[in-house]
Amino acid sequence: MQLSTLSLFPFCNFLTLSIHFPIYLILSSSLCKTVPKFLHIKASREGESRCYFTLNQGFNRSNKLSRYIVTRSQLGGTGILDATNSLSEIKPSPKFRGVCFYGMTVMAGVLPFGILIVAHPLALIFDPYKTKFYNLIPKLWATASIAPFFDIELEGLENLPPQNAPAVYVSNHQSIIDFYPLLTLGRSFKFIGKNTVFLYPGIGWAMYILGMIPVKRMDIRSHLEAVRRCMDLVRNGASVFFFPEGTRSKDGKLGDFKKGAFTVAAKTGVPVIPMTLIGTGEIMPAGMEHVVNSGSVKLIIHKPIKGNDPEILRLLARNIILDTLSIEAQKKKTALISSKPSII
């Protein structure tokens, strides 16, 4: 099994702080009145007083000794190196990270979006189905957007088909940021997206230019049209991507898979590539799109499956992803238990 860790910036913690605090200085005057605890940094140690920092109140001391803890050094402490609070312990709140994340997404997308607009007419003429020219642009944009905030581990890259081979990719859906790890693969698959997303300035227009397929929820005719367009794309050498659950999981559990993706694969004779996303639901949970928690993401690419029965393909793909989620959850639980100090 091939492992690859996407970590373009080993100094991510420092880079994150360097991005956060300049933005904080700009926004602090307007945020102090409306969001009193938007940035909350807490530093404390057992047996010592606590110090809090908020936008509107500055440093709040629980007693007179707390300022000593803020300014103390390794020389002025107890003589123990661990007695001081290092800079790495100062972490921005999830809400503040969310603001910085969206800001980074916009800034990282300015140049790529301009390139897409200029190159779109040429792509329509010379490569209207695969649009291979666009592969690198979404990859660079997604990588630049997420690199300061979390790492991505890619597993099973050897299971990916050749770039020019059409396929149907499917994955579980945990968060709105699921698209970012998938785009870092640099594949030319076309996403199926909710039609309202295409109305968003910037990202919606980019989705339209990249050839993404809009679909209306609870509209059978729209779903059938999306399946027809996907089959047309696949037959012309392009790949398509589905979230077969149809929506994000609210509780982290894997939902039932719809048949659309597997109908396309069965009727066109291309393989289904199941993929499992782990960690995105913890970083940005469904319904909490304003926060970005710390963490990491793992994307596992499974071996292709092929067949002419959509129902069998649907069950196989779901079982593969479900088993993987169960195994990874057990690994995480075991690691958590082993990390707890034992009592002798």
Side-chain angles (χ1 to χ4, degrees):
M1 187 70 73
Q2 181 179 352
L3 292 174
S4 174
T5 302
L6 180 67
S7 182
L8 299 182
F9 299 94
F11 50 94
C12 284
N13 288 336
F14 173 77
L15 182 59
T16 302
L17 288 174
S18 66
I19 294 172
H20 290 170
F21 284 100
I23 300 176
Y24 156 68
L25 293 175
I26 298 173
L27 299 178
S28 59
S29 60
S30 60
L31 289 175
C32 284
K33 297 180 180 179
T34 57
V35 190
K37 291 186 178 181
F38 191 71
L39 176 64
H40 186 178
I41 302 175
K42 179 176 71 173
S44 65
R45 287 192 180 274
E46 185 178 357
E48 298 176 344
S49 59
R50 297 183 177 183
C51 174
Y52 300 91
F53 178 75
T54 58
L55 288 179
N56 64 331
Q57 297 177 354
F59 286 99
N60 298 323
R61 294 184 290 273
S62 57
N63 59 45
K64 295 180 180 179
L65 296 177
S66 59
R67 63 180 178 180
Y68 168 74
I69 299 172
V70 176
T71 60
R72 64 186 298 183
S73 66
Q74 292 181 357
L75 295 176
T78 60
I80 303 175
L81 295 180
D82 291 338
T84 58
N85 293 319
S86 63
L87 181 61
S88 62
E89 296 180 35
I90 303 177
K91 297 181 179 179
S93 70
K95 289 183 179 180
F96 193 71
R97 285 169 57 89
V99 172
C100 296
F101 172 75
Y102 287 115
M104 176 62 72
T105 295
V106 172
M107 289 187 294
V110 172
L111 180 59
F113 185 65
I115 296 175
L116 285 177
I117 293 176
V118 174
H120 185 55
L122 296 176
L124 290 178
I125 296 172
F126 298 104
D127 190 15
Y129 293 101
K130 297 181 183 180
T131 57
K132 290 184 291 184
F133 173 75
Y134 293 156
N135 291 359
L136 184 61
I137 297 176
K139 179 178 181 178
L140 293 177
W141 170 74
T143 302
S145 297
I146 64 179
F149 302 95
F150 56 88
D151 292 334
I152 302 175
E153 179 184 352
L154 303 177
E155 181 178 320
L157 291 174
E158 70 277 6
N159 295 324
L160 288 172
Q163 280 280 6
N164 294 328
V168 175
Y169 297 80
V170 297
S171 172
N172 57 314
H173 198 9
Q174 297 182 339
S175 171
I176 197 173
I177 62 172
D178 287 344
F179 293 97
Y180 291 87
L182 296 168
L183 288 175
T184 61
L185 292 175
R187 294 281 154 160
S188 60
F189 41 62
K190 310 299 182 184
F191 285 94
I192 312 297
K194 189 169 62 172
N195 64 319
T196 54
V197 178
F198 286 74
L199 301 176
Y200 294 169
I203 186 170
W205 304 336
M207 289 175 65
Y208 175 79
I209 292 175
L210 291 170
M212 306 305 176
I213 302 171
V215 62
K216 295 179 181 179
R217 285 186 179 176
M218 310 304 293
D219 188 326
I220 297 178
R221 183 176 297 180
S222 177
H223 282 260
L224 292 175
E225 175 62 19
V227 170
R228 186 196 65 78
R229 288 186 59 185
C230 287
M231 292 175 63
D232 184 52
L233 286 168
V234 171
R235 285 173 178 148
N236 283 277
S239 296
V240 293
F241 181 93
F242 286 81
F243 288 118
E245 294 171 272
T247 187
R248 287 168 290 164
S249 173
K250 300 297 188 295
D251 55 4
K253 296 180 180 179
L254 187 66
D256 191 28
F257 279 12
K258 295 176 172 57
K259 277 189 179 181
F262 311 101
T263 299
V264 173
K267 289 190 175 183
T268 57
V270 300
V272 175
I273 314 296
M275 298 190 288
T276 304
L277 273 167
I278 301 164
T280 53
E282 298 175 1
I283 293 176
M284 185 181 286
M288 299 181 65
E289 287 73 25
H290 60 290
V291 304
V292 173
N293 298 308
S294 58
S296 60
V297 173
K298 188 175 184 178
L299 176 60
I300 302 175
I301 300 101
H302 304 285
K303 292 182 178 180
I305 56 177
K306 201 170 182 179
N308 54 12
D309 189 332
E311 181 62 19
I312 294 177
L313 290 174
R314 183 183 73 88
L315 293 175
L316 281 174
R318 188 180 186 278
N319 288 337
I320 290 172
I321 295 175
L322 181 61
D323 291 343
T324 304
L325 289 173
S326 300
I327 292 172
E328 292 296 324
Q330 186 60 40
K331 287 181 181 178
K332 184 177 180 181
K333 184 178 179 181
T334 303
L336 188 62
I337 294 173
S338 62
S339 65
K340 293 182 179 180
S342 58
I343 301 176
I344 302 177

